[in-house]
Amino acid sequence: VQLQASGGGLVQPGGSLRLSCFGTETTVDYYAIAWFRQAPGKEREEVACISGSFEQSSKYADSVKGRFTISRDRVKNTVNLQMNSVKAEDTAVYYCAASKSWYAVCGPKTGFGVWGQGTQVTVSS
């Protein structure tokens, strides 16, 4: 699978933005897909993940719980990250990644082997 991330841009605090991670060459349905972000001078942070298992469980970083939603669009072979009530601290380059194996469940030991290119999100008035 190859991944293409899109949807970044400039958004005002309190606004919304939707990032998309499109899979090429094969379906992304069987892979756990996660969104990561990295701000200047900070370590990379996993923001949200949706499992490749049948229950399609999802998990979120505490910093985005209740504001961000990760979901699959099977028709478009895409995993979206809906970002609501954004804050200045959400400013970062966002990356999507696919698990190394099929049916992976999101967790601290999930390995990600394929990465999309980053998309910049800037939250500023």
Side-chain angles (χ1 to χ4, degrees), residues 37-108:
R37 67 186 180 187
Q38 188 163 22
K42 295 187 177 181
E43 293 187 355
R44 187 176 63 195
E45 174 189 23
E46 183 178 319
V47 173
C49 181
I50 186 165
S51 296
S53 57
F54 292 113
E55 75 266 22
Q56 294 288 293
S57 58
S58 56
K59 60 185 290 283
Y60 299 89
D62 288 343
S63 58
V64 305
K65 278 182 182 177
R67 301 188 297 121
F68 291 10
T69 302
I70 190 170
S71 63
R72 293 185 186 273
D73 183 334
R74 288 187 167 82
V75 173
K76 297 181 179 179
N77 200 32
T78 296
V79 173
N80 297 316
L81 183 69
Q82 179 67 40
M83 306 168 60
N84 296 330
S85 303
V86 296
K87 305 175 182 179
E89 49 263 45
D90 294 323
T91 295
V93 178
Y94 285 70
Y95 303 86
C96 59
S99 57
K100 294 180 179 178
S101 59
W102 284 9
Y103 306 121
V105 177
C106 296

